[in-house]
Amino acid sequence: MTSAALDDLHSTAPGSTSRRAPRAWLHTDAPSLSLHGDWDFRWSPVADAPGFEDPDGWGSLPVPSHWVLHGHGAPSYTNVQYPFPVDPPHPPDENPTGDHRRTFTLPDSFDGAARVLLRFDGVESHYRVWLNDTVVGWSTGSRLATEFDVTSLLRPGSNEIRVRVHQWSAASYLEDQDQWWLPGIFRDVTLLARPTAPIDDVFVRAGWTASPGDVVSAGTAASGRPSTGTGTISVPTIDAVFPVHFAVPELGVDVTWASADDVAPITVEGVEPWSAELPRLYDATLTSGGGGAVGGSLDGETVSLRLGFRSVQIVGDRFLVNGERVVFHGVNRHETHPVRGRVFDEAHARADMALMKQSNVNAIRTSHYPPHPRVLDLADELGFWVVLECDLETHGFEFQGWLGNPSDDPAWEDAYLDRVARTVERDKNHASIVMWSLGNESGTGRNLAAMAQWVHARDPERPVHYEGDYTGEYTDVYSRMYPTLQETESIGGGPATPLLGCGPAEAARQRSKPFIHCEYVHAMGNGPGQIAEYEALVDRYPRLHGGFVWEWRDHGLLAHTDDGTPYHAYGGDFHEVVHDGNFVMDGLVLPDDTPTPGLAEFAAVVAPVRLSVSDTTVLVENRYHSASTAGLRFCWTLSRNGVVEASGRLAPGIVAVRQSATVPVPDEVLAAARADAGSLAPGDELWLDVVAELAGPTAWADTGHVVARTQALVASRPAAVPRASSRGWDGDRLGEATFTARGDLATFRGHDVSGPRLELWRAPTDNDRGASQGGYETSDPVLTLGVGDPTAPSSASRWEARGLDRLTHRLVSVTRTDDGLVQRVRVAAANSGAGVEVTHRWTLTDAGLLLRTDAMPFGGWDVTWPRIGVRIDLPAALLSETASWFGTGPDESYADSSHAARVGRFQAPVSAMTTRYSMPQESGHRPELRTLSVGPITVTTLPDPASGHRAGFTLTPWTAQQVGRAGHPHELPVPDALYLYLDDAQHGLGSRACGLDVLPEHQLWPSARSWSVLLA
């Protein structure tokens, strides 16, 4: 490689002058040739690799791909850190380099082409291209498309393309996104035949305004029929050879423009608007040269568009689409797959986005770069509000106090403007895109302001977003990451608090804009908590427009141990010099596509239809932006102890957007509620469940998919506390159990068991281990305006310092009674004067063995407890059983993540009772248990006489200590028992891995506790 070529690696320029100007990614009938397939490949650890003529070291590699996922070098994960010295604009000499080459022959369909373009849709991070031994050019911008004109370099017959890709370059300083560094040609490489009369670029705007009298609140009509209004088609850009024919057959649009001067707006009546809920699209075509590549001719072409008519506005502090406030129930979406990395697979993307829709996700922020262009086609079709983000992040400069940050360095202005131009121009025709984002976590400065100015000039309709513009100098919306609840309320219009980085006047300016959480409730591991608290503020303050959970999917990469055991790897698993551990595992979906309980919680909290039950009525609130409830049906069931006894349909009629309706509680339910206690057996509970479900199939779910639900207790009759049996001890046997001399269980129903053992420890969650945003255990968020104690270590650190993971148990006494025993135990950790006095009271009853546990803390406790409960060790033979329970489910739930839980009868294999997080941690807690059966053993909880509270349970093949010591699931030991935890309570989850600590109302502080269970 020449020294000039190596110099390009150090250049702040975005690429060579041979690159063509950016344009829209269009669906065209002009011929193309995909260069997917196996290429010759050679890897070198340095930038100055041998020339292509050197015959040594060549193998093959599929394109598109990342070479580090095919055995060449290794992936590297960092969040903020640069994995190379911060010496802009210079990359290191140790610069992994991949040489790619292949031959191809142009198909006959290219005959007669006026030009041939070579398009790269994604290469990380710097690449230089040769065609038939001649340099074509070079480019950067890993997630951005680049085209070169190669017409003069092609020859008849065989042609050879060569591409040299460097992992690091000056451009890497602009691509410090929180994700894996994955070099290679990972998106499409395509040759494009261009006609003699082409349509090279077009920008079509399709605006919409409501027709007065035809709609209710500019949304779906009360009849349930789609709204109609006035559509306005304008074409601010058309780079084509005229005449051009434009048609939208369904709307009767059929015009021919003889020249650019003839292009004028088109107004059409009776147009249905596009929205994320009703993604109505109209097929349109533009044809030049009399009709595309017909009969082998390349005289012209036809470009196909799918128009979604919608208007985007900011009016005061409201962000509006089609005249109505938008609430983003969104996710941040990276492109990631455990095997392919960022290589696109359309079927997988469609399934992923269908799962989003099924989970009430209505918006996507494309963190932190434009996705594969087909993702936006799917967003148009399935219906998502999209905040499209530029491929930009310089977060690592934060460690340098932002010294040298390219965002404020004029030498980088061309690169910044080039990146935003390629972002906007490629995707400007998508209805789903309602906002442009300049990038992420790049500080602030003149180059970002220049980007915003360019976008405003190019596309005045769509607002500009960038979170780092704290004072609002050049952006249209106020956006923040992980603000406290108090600050969020202040932004919405509640009691004023200081705003980050703002003086009084700047704060006033920001409070005058629509507000968006571009990232909130960090979904790392078991969590997040507090979704409902944020959503309540969005309900209360119209200035708040919702936000985007961080993030949609874990980024785990499939790896294997030396013995072939598969696991999902994270930072450090590839021996990186610097890395950020499992911080890349922070999604609502696990790497293997498994939805987490956190996703179910999100879906429940943000459901677009809100249901609630009073004594005599069911309230149906339509919280959609633009859809009536015409596509839903409302069903109810009445269950006794989880078994359905009656069911039917509710008929609230069609509820228009932002309207509500009430319907009577069904007569069968009212009759059950009026029944005297004599009609209920002791322990009976009657529950009314109401669900809103799809009345017909959609593009993303089948008929019957549940959109929203609620539940209400109709009637119940407490069960009497079982009385002591007249039977007593038979040696060491008490009913179905035997006990040791220490008073511990030895067997039950013929199975070896042990316990009960008081437990305060849980395997720390990622949020327990995190220390972001300060701690609430040592500060009062009400008094500190939501700011946690910045000096507070993580909860897990505090728990470990108090020895909660290594409690010792000292038997104080064992006393046999006629019908049971009383065991007193003193529990504390080494070098601690704080502990718990525990009394276990066993009583034999005709219904089984009753265990009452009383726990009384003593000493100077100054820390929360992870849990308070007992552990009973069951035989490993039960690991293959199915657990059946009546209680909360179907998934785990916690004090601040409980909206998806309902009371019912559930069953699951014991192996599926915990969630397989990529880093093992607390999982599987289901509070408010009634009855649990595993094999021959049944556990029934007794409600607290005053509060009705019941203990919860966890079934797991590993102790909390074993889980806490494992870095990956495959590192857990081979199970030798099944552990049953019966917890009176657990500490909340919070979001402190990168957000708020557990709120005070969800914290578990030491206190006297009592709970009772019956073993049978």
Coordinates of all heavy atoms in Angstrom, one line a residue, residues 865-924:
W865 N -32.0 -5.1 52.9 CA -31.9 -6.5 52.7 C -32.2 -6.8 51.2 O -33.2 -6.3 50.7 CB -32.8 -7.3 53.6 CG -32.4 -7.3 55.0 CD1 -31.2 -7.1 55.6 CD2 -33.2 -7.7 56.1 NE1 -31.2 -7.3 56.9 CE2 -32.4 -7.7 57.3 CE3 -34.6 -8.1 56.3 CZ2 -32.9 -8.0 58.6 CZ3 -35.1 -8.5 57.5 CH2 -34.3 -8.4 58.6
P866 N -31.5 -7.7 50.6 CA -31.9 -8.2 49.3 C -33.2 -9.0 49.3 O -34.1 -8.8 48.4 CB -30.8 -9.1 48.8 CG -29.6 -8.8 49.7 CD -30.2 -8.3 51.0
R867 N -33.4 -9.8 50.4 CA -34.6 -10.6 50.5 C -34.7 -10.9 52.0 O -33.8 -10.8 52.8 CB -34.5 -11.9 49.7 CG -33.5 -12.8 50.2 CD -33.4 -14.2 49.6 NE -34.3 -14.7 48.6 CZ -33.9 -15.3 47.5 NH1 -32.6 -15.4 47.3 NH2 -34.8 -15.7 46.6
I868 N -35.9 -11.4 52.4 CA -36.1 -12.0 53.7 C -36.9 -13.2 53.5 O -38.1 -13.1 53.0 CB -36.7 -11.0 54.7 CG1 -37.0 -11.7 56.0 CG2 -37.9 -10.3 54.2 CD1 -35.8 -12.2 56.8
G869 N -36.4 -14.4 53.7 CA -37.1 -15.6 53.5 C -36.3 -16.8 54.0 O -35.3 -16.7 54.7
V870 N -36.8 -18.0 53.7 CA -36.1 -19.2 54.0 C -35.8 -20.0 52.8 O -36.5 -19.9 51.8 CB -36.9 -20.0 55.0 CG1 -37.0 -19.3 56.4 CG2 -38.2 -20.5 54.5
R871 N -34.8 -20.9 52.9 CA -34.5 -21.8 51.8 C -34.7 -23.2 52.3 O -34.2 -23.6 53.4 CB -33.0 -21.6 51.4 CG -32.6 -22.3 50.1 CD -31.1 -22.2 49.8 NE -30.4 -23.3 50.5 CZ -29.1 -23.3 50.8 NH1 -28.4 -22.2 50.5 NH2 -28.5 -24.3 51.3
I872 N -35.4 -24.0 51.5 CA -35.6 -25.4 51.7 C -35.0 -26.2 50.5 O -35.3 -25.9 49.4 CB -37.0 -25.8 51.9 CG1 -37.6 -25.1 53.1 CG2 -37.2 -27.3 52.1 CD1 -39.1 -25.3 53.4
D873 N -34.1 -27.1 50.8 CA -33.4 -27.8 49.8 C -34.1 -29.1 49.5 O -34.3 -30.0 50.3 CB -31.9 -28.2 50.2 CG -31.1 -26.9 50.5 OD1 -31.7 -25.8 50.4 OD2 -30.0 -27.1 51.0
L874 N -34.5 -29.2 48.2 CA -35.3 -30.4 47.7 C -34.4 -31.3 46.9 O -33.3 -30.9 46.4 CB -36.5 -29.9 46.9 CG -37.4 -28.9 47.6 CD1 -38.5 -28.5 46.6 CD2 -38.0 -29.5 48.8
P875 N -34.8 -32.5 46.7 CA -33.9 -33.5 46.0 C -33.7 -33.1 44.5 O -34.7 -32.6 43.9 CB -34.6 -34.8 46.2 CG -36.0 -34.5 46.5 CD -36.0 -33.2 47.3
A876 N -32.6 -33.4 44.0 CA -32.3 -33.2 42.6 C -33.2 -33.9 41.6 O -33.4 -33.5 40.5 CB -30.8 -33.5 42.3
A877 N -33.8 -35.0 42.1 CA -34.7 -35.7 41.3 C -35.9 -34.9 40.8 O -36.5 -35.2 39.8 CB -35.2 -37.0 42.0
L878 N -36.2 -33.9 41.6 CA -37.4 -33.0 41.2 C -37.0 -32.0 40.1 O -37.9 -31.3 39.6 CB -37.9 -32.3 42.5 CG -38.4 -33.1 43.6 CD1 -38.9 -32.3 44.8 CD2 -39.5 -34.0 43.1
L879 N -35.7 -31.9 39.7 CA -35.4 -31.0 38.7 C -36.0 -31.2 37.4 O -36.2 -30.4 36.5 CB -33.8 -31.0 38.5 CG -33.0 -30.4 39.6 CD1 -31.5 -30.7 39.5 CD2 -33.2 -28.8 39.6
S880 N -36.4 -32.5 37.2 CA -37.1 -32.9 35.9 C -38.6 -32.7 35.9 O -39.3 -33.0 34.9 CB -36.7 -34.3 35.5 OG -37.2 -35.2 36.5
E881 N -39.1 -32.2 37.1 CA -40.6 -32.1 37.2 C -41.1 -30.8 36.6 O -40.3 -29.9 36.3 CB -40.9 -32.2 38.7 CG -40.6 -33.5 39.4 CD -41.6 -34.6 39.0 OE1 -42.7 -34.2 38.5 OE2 -41.3 -35.7 39.3
T882 N -42.4 -30.8 36.5 CA -43.1 -29.5 36.2 C -43.7 -28.9 37.4 O -44.3 -29.6 38.2 CB -44.2 -29.8 35.1 OG1 -43.6 -30.3 33.9 CG2 -45.1 -28.6 34.9
A883 N -43.5 -27.6 37.6 CA -44.1 -26.9 38.7 C -45.4 -26.4 38.4 O -45.6 -25.9 37.3 CB -43.1 -25.8 39.2
S884 N -46.4 -26.5 39.3 CA -47.7 -26.0 39.1 C -48.0 -25.1 40.3 O -47.7 -25.5 41.4 CB -48.8 -27.1 39.0 OG -48.5 -28.0 37.9
W885 N -48.5 -23.9 40.0 CA -48.8 -23.0 41.1 C -50.0 -22.1 40.9 O -50.4 -21.9 39.7 CB -47.6 -22.2 41.5 CG -47.2 -21.0 40.5 CD1 -47.6 -19.7 40.7 CD2 -46.5 -21.1 39.3 NE1 -47.1 -19.0 39.7 CE2 -46.4 -19.8 38.8 CE3 -45.9 -22.2 38.6 CZ2 -45.8 -19.5 37.6 CZ3 -45.3 -21.9 37.4 CH2 -45.2 -20.6 36.9
F886 N -50.6 -21.8 42.0 CA -51.7 -20.8 42.0 C -51.2 -19.6 42.8 O -50.8 -19.7 43.9 CB -53.0 -21.3 42.7 CG -54.1 -20.3 42.8 CD1 -54.4 -19.5 41.8 CD2 -54.8 -20.2 44.0 CE1 -55.4 -18.5 41.9 CE2 -55.8 -19.3 44.2 CZ -56.1 -18.5 43.1
G887 N -51.0 -18.5 42.0 CA -50.4 -17.3 42.6 C -50.1 -16.3 41.5 O -50.8 -16.3 40.5
T888 N -49.1 -15.5 41.7 CA -48.8 -14.5 40.6 C -47.9 -15.2 39.6 O -47.1 -16.0 39.8 CB -48.1 -13.3 41.2 OG1 -46.9 -13.7 41.8 CG2 -49.0 -12.6 42.2
G889 N -48.1 -14.7 38.4 CA -47.3 -15.2 37.2 C -47.8 -14.5 36.0 O -48.5 -13.5 36.0
P890 N -47.4 -15.0 34.8 CA -46.6 -16.3 34.7 C -45.1 -16.1 34.9 O -44.4 -17.0 35.2 CB -46.9 -16.7 33.2 CG -47.1 -15.4 32.5 CD -47.9 -14.5 33.5
D891 N -44.6 -14.8 34.8 CA -43.2 -14.6 35.0 C -42.9 -14.1 36.3 O -43.7 -13.8 37.2 CB -42.8 -13.5 33.9 CG -42.9 -14.0 32.5 OD1 -42.7 -15.2 32.3 OD2 -43.3 -13.2 31.6
E892 N -41.6 -13.9 36.6 CA -41.1 -13.3 37.8 C -41.6 -11.8 37.9 O -41.9 -11.2 36.9 CB -39.6 -13.3 37.8 CG -38.9 -12.5 36.7 CD -37.5 -12.8 36.4 OE1 -37.1 -13.9 36.5 OE2 -36.7 -11.8 36.1
S893 N -41.7 -11.4 39.1 CA -42.1 -10.0 39.3 C -41.6 -9.5 40.7 O -41.3 -10.3 41.6 CB -43.6 -9.8 39.3 OG -44.3 -10.5 40.3
Y894 N -41.4 -8.2 40.8 CA -40.8 -7.6 42.0 C -41.6 -6.3 42.3 O -42.5 -5.9 41.6 CB -39.3 -7.3 41.7 CG -38.6 -8.5 41.5 CD1 -38.6 -9.2 40.2 CD2 -37.8 -9.2 42.5 CE1 -37.9 -10.3 40.0 CE2 -37.1 -10.3 42.3 CZ -37.2 -10.9 41.0 OH -36.5 -12.1 40.8
A895 N -41.3 -5.7 43.4 CA -42.1 -4.6 44.0 C -42.2 -3.5 43.0 O -43.3 -2.8 42.9 CB -41.4 -4.1 45.2
D896 N -41.2 -3.2 42.2 CA -41.3 -2.1 41.2 C -41.4 -2.6 39.8 O -41.1 -1.8 38.8 CB -40.1 -1.1 41.4 CG -38.8 -1.8 41.3 OD1 -38.7 -3.0 41.2 OD2 -37.7 -1.1 41.4
S897 N -41.7 -3.8 39.6 CA -41.9 -4.4 38.3 C -43.0 -5.5 38.4 O -42.6 -6.7 38.3 CB -40.6 -4.9 37.7 OG -40.8 -5.5 36.4
S898 N -44.2 -5.1 38.5 CA -45.3 -6.1 38.9 C -46.5 -5.9 38.0 O -47.5 -6.7 38.3 CB -45.6 -5.9 40.4 OG -46.1 -4.6 40.6
H899 N -46.6 -5.0 37.1 CA -47.8 -4.8 36.3 C -48.1 -5.9 35.4 O -49.3 -6.0 35.0 CB -47.7 -3.4 35.6 CG -47.7 -2.2 36.5 ND1 -46.7 -1.9 37.3 CD2 -48.7 -1.3 36.7 CE1 -47.0 -0.8 38.0 NE2 -48.2 -0.5 37.7
A900 N -47.1 -6.7 35.0 CA -47.4 -7.8 34.1 C -47.9 -9.0 34.8 O -48.3 -10.0 34.2 CB -46.2 -8.1 33.2
A901 N -47.7 -9.0 36.1 CA -48.1 -10.2 36.9 C -49.6 -10.2 37.1 O -50.2 -9.1 37.3 CB -47.4 -10.2 38.2
R902 N -50.2 -11.4 37.2 CA -51.6 -11.5 37.5 C -51.7 -12.8 38.3 O -50.9 -13.7 38.3 CB -52.5 -11.6 36.3 CG -52.2 -12.8 35.4 CD -53.0 -12.7 34.1 NE -53.0 -14.0 33.3 CZ -52.0 -14.3 32.4 NH1 -51.0 -13.4 32.3 NH2 -52.0 -15.4 31.8
V903 N -52.8 -12.9 39.1 CA -53.1 -14.1 39.9 C -53.8 -15.1 39.0 O -54.8 -14.8 38.3 CB -53.9 -13.7 41.1 CG1 -54.3 -15.0 41.9 CG2 -53.2 -12.8 42.0
G904 N -53.2 -16.3 39.0 CA -53.8 -17.3 38.2 C -53.2 -18.7 38.5 O -52.4 -18.8 39.4
R905 N -53.5 -19.6 37.7 CA -53.0 -21.0 37.8 C -52.0 -21.2 36.7 O -52.4 -21.1 35.5 CB -54.1 -22.0 37.9 CG -53.6 -23.4 38.3 CD -54.8 -24.3 38.7 NE -55.5 -23.8 39.8 CZ -55.1 -24.1 41.1 NH1 -54.0 -24.8 41.3 NH2 -55.9 -23.6 42.1
F906 N -50.8 -21.5 37.0 CA -49.7 -21.6 36.0 C -48.9 -22.9 36.2 O -48.9 -23.5 37.2 CB -48.8 -20.4 36.1 CG -49.4 -19.1 36.0 CD1 -49.7 -18.4 37.2 CD2 -49.9 -18.5 34.8 CE1 -50.3 -17.1 37.2 CE2 -50.5 -17.2 34.8 CZ -50.7 -16.6 36.0
Q907 N -48.2 -23.3 35.1 CA -47.3 -24.4 35.2 C -46.1 -24.2 34.3 O -46.3 -23.5 33.2 CB -48.0 -25.7 35.0 CG -48.5 -26.0 33.6 CD -49.0 -27.4 33.5 OE1 -49.5 -28.0 34.5 NE2 -49.0 -27.9 32.3
A908 N -45.0 -24.7 34.6 CA -43.8 -24.6 33.8 C -42.8 -25.7 34.3 O -42.8 -26.1 35.4 CB -43.2 -23.2 33.9
P909 N -42.0 -26.1 33.4 CA -40.9 -27.0 33.8 C -40.0 -26.3 34.8 O -39.8 -25.1 34.8 CB -40.1 -27.3 32.5 CG -41.0 -27.0 31.4 CD -41.9 -25.9 31.9
V910 N -39.6 -27.1 35.8 CA -38.7 -26.5 36.8 C -37.5 -25.8 36.2 O -37.1 -24.7 36.7 CB -38.2 -27.6 37.8 CG1 -37.1 -27.1 38.7 CG2 -39.4 -28.0 38.7
S911 N -37.0 -26.3 35.1 CA -35.8 -25.7 34.4 C -36.2 -24.3 33.9 O -35.3 -23.6 33.5 CB -35.3 -26.6 33.3 OG -36.4 -26.8 32.4
A912 N -37.5 -24.0 33.7 CA -37.9 -22.7 33.1 C -38.4 -21.7 34.1 O -38.9 -20.7 33.7 CB -38.9 -23.0 32.0
M913 N -38.2 -22.0 35.4 CA -38.7 -21.2 36.4 C -37.9 -19.9 36.7 O -38.2 -19.1 37.5 CB -38.9 -21.9 37.7 CG -40.0 -23.0 37.6 SD -41.7 -22.3 37.3 CE -42.0 -21.4 38.8
T914 N -36.7 -19.9 36.1 CA -35.8 -18.7 36.2 C -35.5 -18.3 34.8 O -35.5 -19.1 33.9 CB -34.5 -19.0 37.0 OG1 -33.9 -20.1 36.5 CG2 -34.9 -19.3 38.5
T915 N -35.1 -17.0 34.7 CA -34.7 -16.5 33.4 C -33.2 -16.7 33.2 O -32.4 -16.4 34.1 CB -35.1 -15.0 33.3 OG1 -36.5 -14.9 33.5 CG2 -34.7 -14.4 31.9
R916 N -32.8 -17.1 32.0 CA -31.4 -17.4 31.7 C -30.7 -16.1 31.2 O -30.4 -15.9 30.0 CB -31.3 -18.5 30.7 CG -29.9 -19.1 30.5 CD -29.9 -20.2 29.5 NE -28.5 -20.7 29.2 CZ -27.9 -21.6 29.8 NH1 -28.5 -22.1 30.9 NH2 -26.7 -22.0 29.5
Y917 N -30.5 -15.2 32.1 CA -29.8 -13.9 31.8 C -28.4 -14.3 31.4 O -27.8 -15.3 31.9 CB -29.8 -13.0 33.0 CG -31.2 -12.5 33.3 CD1 -31.9 -12.8 34.4 CD2 -31.9 -11.6 32.4 CE1 -33.2 -12.4 34.7 CE2 -33.2 -11.1 32.7 CZ -33.8 -11.5 33.8 OH -35.1 -11.1 34.1
S918 N -27.8 -13.5 30.5 CA -26.4 -13.8 30.0 C -25.4 -13.7 31.1 O -24.3 -14.4 31.0 CB -26.1 -12.8 28.9 OG -27.0 -13.0 27.8
M919 N -25.6 -12.9 32.2 CA -24.9 -13.0 33.4 C -25.8 -13.4 34.5 O -26.8 -12.8 34.8 CB -24.2 -11.6 33.8 CG -23.5 -11.7 35.2 SD -22.7 -10.2 35.6 CE -21.1 -10.5 34.8
P920 N -25.6 -14.6 35.1 CA -26.5 -15.1 36.1 C -26.7 -14.1 37.2 O -25.8 -13.4 37.7 CB -25.8 -16.4 36.6 CG -25.0 -16.8 35.4 CD -24.5 -15.5 34.8
Q921 N -28.0 -14.0 37.7 CA -28.4 -13.1 38.7 C -29.7 -13.5 39.2 O -30.4 -14.4 38.7 CB -28.4 -11.7 38.2 CG -29.3 -11.5 36.9 CD -29.0 -10.2 36.2 OE1 -29.5 -9.1 36.6 NE2 -28.1 -10.2 35.2
E922 N -30.2 -12.8 40.3 CA -31.5 -13.1 40.9 C -32.5 -13.1 39.8 O -32.6 -12.3 38.9 CB -31.8 -11.9 41.9 CG -33.3 -11.8 42.2 CD -33.9 -13.0 42.8 OE1 -33.2 -13.8 43.5 OE2 -35.1 -13.2 42.6
S923 N -33.4 -14.2 39.9 CA -34.4 -14.4 38.9 C -35.4 -15.3 39.5 O -35.1 -16.2 40.3 CB -33.8 -15.0 37.6 OG -34.8 -15.4 36.7
G924 N -36.7 -15.2 39.0 CA -37.7 -16.2 39.3 C -38.6 -16.0 40.5 O -39.4 -16.9 40.8

